[in-house]
Amino acid sequence: MHLKQIKMALESRPLYLQSSPLLFWTCSLLLVGCGCVPMQRDMAKEVASYTDVANQIIKLVLSGSAQKRSYQRLSNFTDAIGNRVSGSHNLELAIKYMYNAMSQDGLDVHLEPVKIPHWVRGEEGAEMILPRPKRLAMLGLGSSVGTPPEGIEAEVVVVSSFEDLKSRAGNVTGRIVVFNQPFVSYPETVAYRAFGASEAAKLGAVAALIRSITPFSINSPHTGWQDYQAGVRRIPAACITVEDAQLMSRMVGRGQRVVVRVTMGAKTLPDADSFNTVAEIKGWLHPEQVVMLSGHLDSWDVGQGAMDDGGGAIISWEALSIIKDLGLRPRRTMRAVLWTAEEQGGVGAQQYYERHKVNISNYDLVMESDLGTFAPVALQFTGSQAAQKVMQEVVQLLAPMNTTRLEPHGEGTDIEPWMQAGVPGASLHVQDSRYFWFHHSEGDTMSVQSPEDMDRCSALWAVVAYVVADLQDMLPR
Amino acid sequence: MHLKQIKMALESRPLYLQSSPLLFWTCSLLLVGCGCVPMQRDMAKEVASYTDVANQIIKLVLSGSAQKRSYQRLSNFTDAIGNRVSGSHNLELAIKYMYNAMSQDGLDVHLEPVKIPHWVRGEEGAEMILPRPKRLAMLGLGSSVGTPPEGIEAEVVVVSSFEDLKSRAGNVTGRIVVFNQPFVSYPETVAYRAFGASEAAKLGAVAALIRSITPFSINSPHTGWQDYQAGVRRIPAACITVEDAQLMSRMVGRGQRVVVRVTMGAKTLPDADSFNTVAEIKGWLHPEQVVMLSGHLDSWDVGQGAMDDGGGAIISWEALSIIKDLGLRPRRTMRAVLWTAEEQGGVGAQQYYERHKVNISNYDLVMESDLGTFAPVALQFTGSQAAQKVMQEVVQLLAPMNTTRLEPHGEGTDIEPWMQAGVPGASLHVQDSRYFWFHHSEGDTMSVQSPEDMDRCSALWAVVAYVVADLQDMLPR
C-alpha cells in the first residue's frame, strides 16, 4: 500500500451502511402497492437469482477443491521469488512467474509494458556515536538520495511534529533531524515519512531519520516511499525504529548531545522496463465490457511482500480460477490486473489508465485488494446511489459467509484514477488490526497469512466480480 | 530470565490461593471462642498495625515525590549503559553506575567479587543459498562455539520436535538441523534452544538453527543460553526467526533442497571478574537478619535489558529508597542485591549463596523480580503453611493498590538456592502477556516499560519487604 491512499482514508467517514436495506424494501413494497413495478425490484430479483451460483462459489472455496488454494498459490509464489521492488530482477521474475502460472491455469494472459522507477537501496547503516556507540536499525526510504561513501555524521535535533520542527528553526542547520512523532493513524502519521526530509531540508538539515510509521515495534524499521519537494535540497531520508527515536528523544531531553552517523548507498537509476500482468475470462456477450479485479505484484525490498500485496494479487487471480473451475462464463469480461510499481505511486496503474481510458465507458467496476487478505469484514464501495443499491443486493449473496456489509469508499492507489473519473470502485475491508505492525518491514511474510482467511477473501472477490460481470446491465454511474 | 526457571515453571501448579483467608478466620474465631488466643490472631493484628505505613509507602510512590522515579532511574541507567552481557565492559560500567547511584542515594553499598563466564558473540550471520539467496536474521546462542571463518555451509533438515529429529536419524549427518518447533509455552519450548544443538550433534549434525522461543515475531531473532551435553561434540547453535524457520519448513515440504551458510565468530574467553552489587538499610534491632530484595543487573547483548532485568534491579533499589525517604528503619536489615551473570545460569547468585549460606538461619525472606515490571497482579510466595499465613496478611496491606493476591511458588533463578534450602521466597507476578515477545531480543528496551506500572511494582516490593523486615518474628520456616 502506497501513501497515496492516505488522502482517501483521511476523507473516509465513519463506517456505516450508506443505504439501508430496510428502507429500500419498504420503499419497494410501497411502490409495488401503488401498482408500480420499480426497476429496483427487478434488479433485486435478478441479483437474488445468483444465490445458487454464489453458494457454489463459496462451497468450492471454503470446503471444496479450491480450499486453501489461495494460500498455497501465495506461498508458492512469495517463497520462490521473495520480495520484488520496482526495477529489481525479482520483480521481473515475479511477472514471468505469474504470467506462466496464470497461463497454465488456462486463463487468457498478456503483459502490458510500462516504464517504472528504479531506486536501489545499496549498502546502508546508521549508528549513534555519542553519548555512547549503538547500532541503529534503519531502512532508507524509497527515492532517497544516498550519502557520501563515508556517511554523514552530525548532531541530531529531535522533534515531535512539524510544528515542533519549525519552532526549532534556528537550531536545524547542519543537523540530522530525528522525527519522533507519535503514531496516531497511518494516514495521518505517514506524512512524516513522506514529507519529513524536505521539511527538514528547508531549515538546513543534512539528513532526516524518521520514526517508523507503526503502532507497535520489536525494534523493527519500516520503509516506504518519500517525496522530495520541488526546489528543495534533497537530503538522505531513512526510517529508524520507534525504540531508537524514543531513546534519542530521552537523551536530548536530558541535555545530552546526540551524534549520529548515517551511511546510505541509495541511488536512482534510469527508469526500468516492466509490465502490468493481465489475465482474463472473456465475456460471452459483451467481451469489451470489463469488471476488473486487481492487486499489485511489486512490493518493498524487505520481507516477502506476502501481505502487501501478494495476497491482493493472488485473490484476483484466484477469483478467475474459481469461475473457470465452475465452468462459468459471465456476460462481461472478468479481468485480473496485477499492477507493477504500485509502491512508487501507482506507476503501472497510471500508465494502464492513460492507455485504456479511451474505453472508460466499458469499465463496469474496478476492484482492488491492497489492505491485506485477512478475515474479510465488508466490501467497500464507491459509486452512485443507484449503483450502491445494486451492490447492496450483491453483498447479500455473501450471507453464507456472514459478510453482507457494504461500506462507503472503495479504495486503492491503482483504481483511484478510474474512480476519480466516475467508474464504480470496490475494495476489501479486512480485520487488519495488525496490518501496520508488519507493513513495509521484514515482518511482511507468509507467517502473517492464514489459509482460511484467504479463502474467504477469494470467495467474496469471486462472487462480487462474477455477479456484477454477469448482470444484464452495467452498474449505473 | 535464564532457562533454569523452566523447571520451576513446569512444576508450577495452576494459580490459586494456597490458604483461604475465610478458612483461616473461621478457624481463628473458633479458637477464640474456645478461650484460646491463637498466635495467628496476634500476627494478623500485628500485620494490620502496618496499615498506616503501607498507605504512606503507596502514597509516596503512586502520587508523591517518588512517583515515576523507578522509570526515571531505569531509563537513566539503561539509556546510559545499554545492554550488559556477562564479561562485557558494559557490565562493569553498569556495576560502577549502580554502586555510585545507590551510594549517592545514601544507602550502604558494597561489591562482592565473583567470577563469571565470558562468552563473546563476535561477527555472525546466516544466509540461505538454495533454493534462492536470502539473508536470515539470527542470533548466536550463549556458550555456543563459533564456526570456521568461512562459515559452515550445508543442506538443512527441518524438524518439528525432538521426536521428529530422531525419526530422521539417518538423514542428519553433515546437515544443519533447523528446529521449527511450535511455540507452546516458554518453559516447555525453550528446551529446543537449551538442548537442540547437542541433540542434533548426537546424530551427526554440523550446526543447529533453532526457531526463536516466542509466540510472536516481526522477523525478530531471540538469543539466550544453551547447554552443551557432556561428551557430545559441540556444534554452533543460533536462533533464527519464526518466519525463516517456517519458510524453510515449507520449502523442504515441497521437496526443495535448502542450503544455508552460517558464520559465527563466537568464542568463550577465560572467566571474568565481576561483582554482585549490594545495598542495605541496616536493621536497628537485628542487623544480622535479612530480607533480601533482588533483580539481576546483567542482560543479553541485544536491546537495552530494560525488561530483563533492569526493572527488577531498579525496583529492588527503589524499595530501599522509599523506606529511607519515609525515615523508616526496620528491625531487620533490608538488603538489595543486584546479581551478576544471571543469564549464564545464576552464576553470581550461586557464588553469593556459597559465601553466605553459613548464615542461612538469618535469611528471613528472599525476593526476586525477573519476570518484568509491568502491572503487578500478585505476590508469588514459597514457604511453609505458617509463613503463608503471615504473607496472606501482609498482602492485605496492598488493598489500596488492589493487589492483595498471594499465589503459590515464588520463583527466580537467583533466589532458587535459598528456597531449595528452605528459606521463604517471593517474586512478582505481573501482567506479562507480551513478555516473551521482547525477551532476549532487540525489542527489550525502555519502550516496553511504563512509569505507572513500575511505580506499582516498587510500592508492592517496598511494602512487602519492609513489613516482613520489621515484624517481631522472622517468618516461620
Side-chain angles (χ1 to χ4, degrees):
Chain A
M1 179 176 137
H2 175 79
L3 56 87
K4 262 195 186 169
Q5 288 185 290
I6 309 160
K7 199 174 56 68
M8 289 176 280
L10 276 174
E11 286 163 359
S12 288
R13 280 163 285 163
L15 303 173
Y16 59 88
L17 299 183
Q18 276 206 325
S19 70
S20 149
L22 184 63
L23 185 67
F24 166 61
W25 281 110
T26 310
C27 294
S28 301
L29 287 168
L30 282 171
L31 287 166
V32 171
C34 302
C36 319
V37 180
M39 191 196 75
Q40 287 91 327
R41 217 204 50 177
D42 287 352
M43 178 275 296
K45 235 172 137 175
E46 189 194 354
V47 172
S49 75
Y50 287 93
T51 302
D52 280 354
V53 75
N55 290 348
Q56 279 177 52
I57 291 170
I58 292 167
K59 194 175 158 199
L60 183 79
V61 182
L62 301 198
S63 57
S65 61
Q67 197 185 3
K68 301 194 181 180
R69 191 170 62 189
S70 302
Y71 179 93
Q72 282 304 335
R73 285 176 168 178
L74 181 60
S75 64
N76 288 345
F77 168 62
T78 62
D79 287 353
I81 306 292
N83 57 54
R84 40 203 186 274
V85 73
S86 180
S88 66
H89 180 57
N90 271 16
L91 180 55
E92 285 180 40
L93 293 178
I95 291 166
K96 280 180 193 157
Y97 181 106
M98 292 301 291
Y99 179 88
N100 290 331
M102 295 196 297
S103 298
Q104 283 164 24
D105 193 34
L107 299 172
D108 194 359
V109 190
H110 70 275
L111 300 176
E112 301 195 5
V114 294
K115 285 281 186 187
I116 59 172
H118 192 183
W119 176 83
V120 291
R121 178 175 302 286
E123 291 291 312
E124 62 181 18
E127 53 186 328
M128 188 166 71
I129 310 286
L130 291 176
R132 65 175 168 90
K134 181 188 187 301
R135 194 183 67 83
L136 305 174
M138 57 86 81
L139 281 172
L141 296 179
S143 87
S144 176
V145 296
T147 65
E150 70 277 15
I152 291 174
E153 184 175 319
E155 186 175 347
V156 309
V157 54
V158 182
V159 303
S160 60
S161 67
F162 288 127
E163 295 65 42
D164 189 20
L165 173 68
K166 276 170 200 146
S167 78
R168 293 164 196 267
N171 198 23
V172 174
T173 304
R175 300 282 185 89
I176 294 171
V177 171
V178 170
F179 286 93
N180 180 35
Q181 76 289 335
F183 181 85
V184 179
S185 70
Y186 186 76
E188 183 171 335
T189 311
V190 76
Y192 290 91
R193 189 191 80 207
F195 312 124
S198 283
E199 291 304 315
K202 284 178 193 171
L203 301 178
V206 292
L209 295 177
I210 297 124
R211 171 172 153 169
S212 289
I213 313 303
T214 179
F216 179 79
S217 176
I218 305 181
N219 206 47
S220 2
H222 297 239
T223 188
W225 196 251
Q226 69 94 37
D227 281 323
Y228 286 125
Q229 210 170 309
V232 177
R233 194 164 51 88
R234 298 178 166 217
I235 61 172
C239 271
I240 56 173
T241 68
V242 172
E243 288 90 333
D244 285 334
Q246 292 180 333
L247 171 69
M248 290 191 276
S249 175
R250 288 193 301 272
M251 287 174 159
V252 168
R254 289 181 194 116
Q256 290 178 300
R257 191 164 163 261
V258 177
V259 174
V260 163
R261 178 165 51 228
V262 57
T263 309
M264 293 171 61
K267 56 188 168 184
T268 299
L269 304 176
D271 281 356
D273 291 314
S274 188
F275 304 91
N276 294 314
T277 308
V278 183
E280 290 185 336
I281 296 176
K282 277 276 193 304
W284 67 264
L285 185 59
H286 305 296
E288 76 290 0
Q289 294 178 2
V290 178
V291 168
M292 185 167 78
L293 307 95
S294 70
H296 63 89
L297 211 52
D298 67 298
S299 73
W300 276 104
D301 58 344
V302 289
Q304 280 189 297
M307 182 190 82
D308 184 13
D309 178 35
I314 291 293
I315 69 165
S316 296
W317 165 21
E318 182 68 24
L320 266 58
S321 290
I322 293 161
I323 299 309
K324 183 183 59 61
D325 289 356
L326 290 171
L328 299 169
R329 192 172 165 197
R331 281 184 174 80
R332 268 167 234 99
T333 293
M334 286 175 71
R335 178 179 298 165
V337 187
L338 315 187
W339 308 110
T340 192
E342 187 273 350
E343 296 291 2
Q344 285 62 37
V347 175
Q350 191 64 45
Q351 291 176 53
Y352 180 95
Y353 177 73
E354 294 302 328
R355 181 175 306 164
H356 295 280
K357 67 182 177 188
V358 62
N359 295 317
I360 193 165
S361 61
N362 284 323
Y363 279 74
D364 188 6
L365 172 66
V366 291
M367 300 165 66
E368 180 164 28
S369 161
D370 188 20
L371 286 165
T373 46
F374 306 134
V377 170
L379 188 75
Q380 300 169 316
F381 181 71
T382 294
S384 66
Q385 287 217 334
Q388 283 174 43
K389 282 182 181 157
V390 179
M391 294 306 288
Q392 192 62 256
E393 296 305 316
V394 171
V395 293
Q396 300 315 310
L397 298 169
L398 299 164
M401 287 172 50
N402 204 20
T403 51
T404 57
R405 260 170 68 191
L406 190 73
E407 293 175 350
H409 298 297
E411 61 181 281
T413 302
D414 301 303
I415 58 172
E416 184 66 12
W418 299 93
M419 290 195 296
Q420 292 282 354
V423 177
S427 52
L428 203 50
H429 176 189
V430 297
Q431 274 178 356
D432 56 0
S433 60
R434 289 185 180 175
Y435 182 86
F436 289 108
W437 297 21
F438 307 111
H439 178 250
H440 296 186
S441 86
E442 291 285 359
D444 179 354
T445 71
M446 282 308 296
S447 295
V448 308
Q449 300 285 153
S450 124
E452 293 74 20
D453 288 347
M454 286 199 72
D455 282 346
R456 294 169 60 78
C457 290
S458 290
L460 184 155
W461 222 223
V463 168
V464 170
Y466 173 76
V467 172
V468 173
D470 199 55
L471 289 173
Q472 299 238 4
D473 298 313
M474 284 179 63
L475 291 175
R477 298 264 162 116
Chain B
M1 180 175 134
H2 175 79
L3 55 86
K4 263 198 187 166
Q5 288 184 293
I6 307 160
K7 199 174 56 68
M8 289 177 280
L10 276 174
E11 287 162 359
S12 288
R13 280 163 284 164
L15 303 173
Y16 59 89
L17 298 185
Q18 276 204 326
S19 70
S20 147
L22 185 62
L23 185 67
F24 166 61
W25 281 110
T26 310
C27 294
S28 302
L29 288 169
L30 282 171
L31 288 166
V32 171
C34 302
C36 320
V37 181
M39 189 197 76
Q40 286 92 326
R41 219 206 48 177
D42 286 351
M43 179 276 293
K45 236 171 137 174
E46 189 193 352
V47 173
S49 75
Y50 288 92
T51 303
D52 279 355
V53 74
N55 290 348
Q56 279 177 51
I57 291 170
I58 292 167
K59 194 175 159 198
L60 183 79
V61 181
L62 300 197
S63 57
S65 60
Q67 198 184 4
K68 301 192 182 181
R69 193 171 60 189
S70 302
Y71 178 93
Q72 281 306 335
R73 285 176 167 178
L74 181 61
S75 64
N76 288 345
F77 167 62
T78 62
D79 288 353
I81 306 293
N83 57 54
R84 42 205 183 272
V85 73
S86 181
S88 67
H89 180 55
N90 270 15
L91 180 55
E92 286 181 38
L93 292 178
I95 291 167
K96 280 182 193 158
Y97 181 107
M98 292 302 291
Y99 178 88
N100 290 332
M102 295 197 297
S103 298
Q104 282 164 25
D105 193 31
L107 299 173
D108 193 358
V109 191
H110 71 275
L111 300 177
E112 300 196 4
V114 293
K115 285 281 186 187
I116 59 171
H118 192 182
W119 175 84
V120 291
R121 178 175 304 284
E123 291 293 312
E124 61 180 20
E127 53 186 329
M128 188 165 72
I129 310 286
L130 291 176
R132 65 174 168 90
K134 180 189 187 300
R135 195 182 67 84
L136 305 174
M138 57 85 81
L139 281 172
L141 295 181
S143 87
S144 176
V145 297
T147 65
E150 69 278 15
I152 291 175
E153 184 175 320
E155 187 174 347
V156 308
V157 54
V158 182
V159 303
S160 60
S161 66
F162 288 127
E163 295 66 42
D164 190 19
L165 172 68
K166 276 168 201 148
S167 77
R168 293 164 197 267
N171 198 24
V172 175
T173 304
R175 300 283 185 87
I176 294 172
V177 172
V178 170
F179 287 93
N180 181 36
Q181 76 289 337
F183 181 86
V184 180
S185 70
Y186 186 77
E188 182 171 336
T189 311
V190 77
Y192 290 91
R193 190 192 79 207
F195 313 122
S198 284
E199 291 303 315
K202 285 178 194 172
L203 302 177
V206 293
L209 296 177
I210 297 124
R211 171 171 152 169
S212 290
I213 314 303
T214 178
F216 179 79
S217 176
I218 304 180
N219 206 48
S220 0
H222 297 239
T223 189
W225 196 250
Q226 68 95 37
D227 281 323
Y228 285 126
Q229 210 171 308
V232 177
R233 195 164 50 88
R234 299 179 166 218
I235 61 172
C239 271
I240 56 173
T241 69
V242 172
E243 288 89 334
D244 285 334
Q246 293 180 332
L247 170 70
M248 289 191 275
S249 174
R250 287 193 303 272
M251 287 174 159
V252 168
R254 287 182 196 113
Q256 290 179 299
R257 189 164 166 264
V258 176
V259 174
V260 162
R261 179 165 51 229
V262 56
T263 309
M264 292 171 59
K267 54 187 169 187
T268 298
L269 304 176
D271 281 356
D273 292 314
S274 189
F275 303 92
N276 293 315
T277 307
V278 183
E280 292 185 335
I281 295 175
K282 277 274 193 302
W284 65 265
L285 184 60
H286 305 295
E288 76 289 0
Q289 295 178 1
V290 178
V291 167
M292 186 166 77
L293 307 95
S294 71
H296 64 88
L297 212 51
D298 67 298
S299 73
W300 277 103
D301 57 343
V302 290
Q304 280 189 297
M307 181 189 83
D308 185 13
D309 179 34
I314 291 294
I315 67 165
S316 296
W317 164 23
E318 182 69 22
L320 268 57
S321 290
I322 292 161
I323 298 310
K324 182 183 59 61
D325 288 357
L326 290 172
L328 299 170
R329 194 173 163 194
R331 280 186 175 78
R332 268 166 234 99
T333 293
M334 287 175 72
R335 178 180 298 165
V337 187
L338 315 186
W339 309 110
T340 191
E342 187 274 348
E343 296 291 3
Q344 285 61 35
V347 176
Q350 191 62 45
Q351 292 176 52
Y352 180 94
Y353 176 73
E354 295 302 329
R355 182 174 303 166
H356 294 281
K357 67 183 176 187
V358 61
N359 295 317
I360 194 165
S361 62
N362 283 323
Y363 279 74
D364 188 8
L365 172 66
V366 292
M367 299 164 69
E368 181 163 28
S369 161
D370 188 21
L371 286 165
T373 45
F374 305 135
V377 170
L379 188 75
Q380 299 169 318
F381 181 70
T382 293
S384 65
Q385 287 217 333
Q388 284 174 42
K389 282 183 181 158
V390 179
M391 295 307 288
Q392 191 64 256
E393 296 305 317
V394 171
V395 294
Q396 300 315 310
L397 298 169
L398 298 164
M401 286 171 52
N402 204 20
T403 51
T404 57
R405 260 172 68 191
L406 190 73
E407 293 175 351
H409 297 298
E411 61 182 278
T413 301
D414 302 303
I415 57 172
E416 185 65 11
W418 298 94
M419 291 194 297
Q420 292 282 354
V423 176
S427 53
L428 203 50
H429 177 190
V430 297
Q431 274 180 356
D432 56 1
S433 60
R434 288 184 181 176
Y435 182 85
F436 290 107
W437 298 21
F438 307 111
H439 179 249
H440 296 186
S441 85
E442 291 285 357
D444 178 354
T445 70
M446 281 308 298
S447 295
V448 308
Q449 300 285 153
S450 123
E452 292 74 21
D453 289 347
M454 286 199 71
D455 282 346
R456 293 169 61 79
C457 291
S458 292
L460 185 156
W461 222 222
V463 167
V464 170
Y466 174 77
V467 172
V468 173
D470 198 55
L471 288 173
Q472 299 238 6
D473 299 314
M474 282 177 64
L475 291 175
R477 297 263 163 115

